[in-house]
Amino acid sequence: MIFYGTNASRLKDGRLSNVICPNCNEQTSMTYSVFGKYAYIYWIPIFPLGKTNVLECNNCKRTYKLKELPQQIQQKFELEKHTGVPIKHFAGIGVIALIIAGISYSSFKHKEDEAKYIVDPMIGDVYSTETTSSGYFTTAKVAKVTNDSVFVIFNDYEIDKKHSTSEIDKAENYKTENMEGYTLNELQQLYKDEVIYNIERD
């Protein structure tokens, strides 16, 4: 279950002097509070949704939203130095940005590692590859490496989800009769053509 919604936090309190309350018609002062509204997911603020200003007459205790008051009181309120949007109301955006940056770096680093793996194969490397059956994918595990050749054992199973081949990457799914040999150049060309699209190394 995803918990999301809106909330508000108090940003500032203050006082307006020498104003006439529309309710009691007395010249008095008004206490005000500025609330910052924000959207959240799992109680983490994601982005601000504006501000709400609430004023209270110190004589009759009637409360108002700013827009309910006469123009002269609104103008006096606007002359006050009000706080901006707090950084914490953008906390969720920062968290999301960090997650995206982390995923991007991880993907970049993995591709960088793959570039090394494909020129220097090792026994146990697992290649995710598209099968001859359109729309299906499988894995092949490196079983033997010579000076210019690489021998792989193909997985007995195929899957229709490109990035879920780890689900079928199990030791019992590789049988030696499914072994095939490739020159190093052939293997590198398959990677370049994205027939081999992922390489995992323990």
Side-chain angles (χ1 to χ4, degrees), residues 15-22 24-31 55-58 69 72-74 76-77:
R15 180 186 292 261
L16 299 180
S17 302
N18 300 317
V19 294
I20 297 176
C21 173
C24 64
N25 292 314
E26 293 290 332
Q27 184 164 331
T28 181
S29 61
M30 287 187 171
T31 301
L55 297 91
E56 181 184 81
C57 172
N58 290 325
L69 291 166
Q72 58 268 34
I73 297 179
Q74 293 187 35
K76 194 163 190 174
F77 177 85

Side-chain angles (χ1 to χ4, degrees), residues 149-173:
S149 297
V150 179
F151 296 86
V152 300
I153 301 174
F154 278 91
N155 198 309
D156 286 342
Y157 295 90
E158 298 177 354
I159 196 166
D160 61 357
K161 296 176 183 176
K162 185 173 184 178
H163 298 289
S164 298
T165 51
S166 59
E167 296 177 12
I168 59 172
D169 180 26
K170 299 176 182 178
E172 61 268 25
N173 294 344

Side-chain angles (χ1 to χ4, degrees), residues 127-197:
Y127 303 142
S128 293
T129 177
E130 188 170 4
T131 68
T132 52
S133 306
S134 179
Y136 284 87
F137 308 90
T138 191
T139 57
K141 183 175 288 188
V142 177
K144 181 180 177 183
V145 179
T146 63
N147 287 338
D148 61 352
S149 297
V150 179
F151 296 86
V152 300
I153 301 174
F154 278 91
N155 198 309
D156 286 342
Y157 295 90
E158 298 177 354
I159 196 166
D160 61 357
K161 296 176 183 176
K162 185 173 184 178
H163 298 289
S164 298
T165 51
S166 59
E167 296 177 12
I168 59 172
D169 180 26
K170 299 176 182 178
E172 61 268 25
N173 294 344
Y174 299 98
K175 296 184 174 61
T176 54
E177 59 264 27
N178 292 332
M179 183 181 290
E180 291 189 23
Y182 297 88
T183 66
L184 194 55
N185 286 338
E186 287 173 336
L187 206 63
Q188 290 171 1
Q189 187 62 46
L190 289 171
Y191 180 74
K192 184 177 180 181
D193 294 341
E194 298 185 352
V195 176
I196 297 173
Y197 60 86

Side-chain angles (χ1 to χ4, degrees), residues 100-115 191:
I100 292 172
I103 292 171
S104 297
Y105 174 77
S106 177
S107 177
F108 170 79
K109 184 68 170 62
H110 185 67
K111 283 298 178 186
E112 195 175 58
D113 290 341
E114 284 184 344
Y191 180 74

Side-chain angles (χ1 to χ4, degrees), residues 33-37 50-54 65:
S33 296
V34 180
F35 297 90
K37 295 177 67 178
K51 299 176 185 176
T52 299
N53 307 301
V54 179
K65 290 184 178 179

